[in-house]
Amino acid sequence: MLKLSASILTADFSDLKTAVAQLEEAQVDWLHLDVMDGHFVPNLSFGPMLIRSLRRTTKLYFDTHLMISNPDEYLMEFRDAGADSITVHFETCTHLSRTIQQIKQLGAKAGVALNPSSPLSLVKEIIGEIDLLLIMSVNPGFGGQEFLPFTLKKIKEAAALVRRYKPGVLLEVDGGIDATNIQRVASAGADVIVAGAAIFNSRDVVGNVRLLRKKAKGVKRDFIV
Ligand code: DX5
Ligand code: ZN
């Protein structure tokens, strides 16, 4: 069953409690928390303090996406703040295998993210150690961007890589996904789909989530071997 991970990056930050309650009513599977440091990506969002506050308001699974340099320095803070999974960017880790070990030692699920232009081959050695592989379908840093069509082929190849080397790894796709393309992303092999603007671009959060679910319903995966 396809999981929907709702990004709050385009929600109303003056009233996140309401946004989270709407997502719970809409029965999203995960809450996608986009942490940005203004260094690895040209934008600043929020840190562990906000996550700690949100943790007190919901039991939703916290899918934490660290778009920050030197993530090793903050893993414990994010775990203590309530992150259930911590995804780091390959591009920010000098010793990725050690970072993955540290995330798992903290008791969180460990994810690795790849920017659109980063080749899939970068994660071939580490695929057996991770719980989640995040394929970026936009250049990280902002919500509401256009889906990059060239990433579809990479998503299919990532699904084949996961199936071949570690079938238990969840394949997550993040960026620019809406009712017009969710079917293609799901059939390419995504297990988890992140959506932000497609959910928060109108007040009808529940309706937007329902539309995404309807569009992705019963999609057949066009696997490549
Ligand atoms: C971008 C973030 C994404 C983004 C998704 O750097 O990682 O999670 O917020 O939002 P939409 O669905 O609006 O592209
Ligand atoms: Zn994200």
Side-chain angles (χ1 to χ4, degrees):
M1 165 81 171
L2 186 75
K3 290 189 188 303
L4 200 53
S5 188
S7 165
I8 58 166
L9 195 66
T10 40
D12 174 358
F13 271 40
S14 73
D15 188 9
L16 284 178
K17 200 168 180 177
T18 302
V20 171
Q22 289 172 317
L23 293 174
E24 285 185 319
E25 187 192 343
Q27 296 183 318
V28 298
D29 299 284
W30 294 359
L31 199 59
H32 187 80
L33 299 160
D34 286 308
V35 178
M36 299 178 179
D37 65 357
H39 182 257
F40 173 62
V41 291
N43 197 2
L44 275 162
S45 60
F46 49 79
M49 282 186 351
L50 182 99
I51 293 174
R52 190 180 296 277
S53 310
L54 290 177
R55 184 74 280 172
R56 289 196 292 271
T57 70
T58 179
K59 292 208 177 341
L60 274 174
Y61 184 93
F62 280 11
D63 167 32
T64 313
H65 179 190
L66 299 187
M67 288 163 275
I68 64 174
S69 300
N70 309 316
D72 291 1
E73 295 168 20
Y74 301 95
L75 298 177
M76 186 176 290
E77 274 187 78
F78 280 105
R79 177 61 177 158
D80 290 350
D84 292 295
S85 67
I86 299 176
T87 297
V88 293
H89 269 259
F90 180 93
E91 301 88 354
T92 63
C93 296
T94 310
H95 304 288
L96 178 59
S97 170
R98 182 178 295 138
T99 302
I100 295 299
Q101 286 168 5
Q102 286 171 339
I103 293 171
K104 291 162 90 169
Q105 278 158 12
L106 288 167
K109 293 290 184 194
V112 174
L114 286 177
N115 284 341
S117 57
S118 297
L120 206 51
S121 56
L122 291 174
V123 295
K124 190 161 160 292
E125 314 312 324
I126 198 79
I127 196 84
E129 304 303 310
I130 60 177
D131 301 298
L132 181 136
L133 174 59
L134 173 55
I135 301 294
M136 292 303 295
S137 40
V138 294
N139 292 302
F142 301 92
Q145 298 181 86
E146 282 299 305
F147 179 83
L148 296 171
F150 74 82
T151 59
L152 264 180
K153 179 171 170 293
K154 188 173 168 185
I155 296 163
K156 287 182 187 169
E157 288 167 358
L161 182 83
V162 163
R163 217 177 29 265
R164 183 149 169 234
Y165 291 100
K166 190 162 173 217
V169 171
L170 287 176
L171 178 59
E172 184 174 32
V173 182
D174 183 6
I177 300 172
D178 58 25
T180 66
N181 58 29
I182 190 169
Q183 202 170 30
R184 275 179 289 152
V185 175
S187 64
D191 300 304
V192 185
I193 284 183
V194 178
I199 293 175
F200 287 108
N201 64 5
S202 76
R203 300 175 67 78
D204 185 9
V205 167
V206 174
N208 289 339
V209 169
R210 276 208 189 111
L211 178 62
L212 289 172
R213 286 247 196 250
K214 190 168 138 237
K215 291 288 185 183
K217 201 169 167 59
V219 167
K220 288 253 171 304
R221 288 181 162 189
D222 51 359
F223 280 137
I224 54 171
V225 284

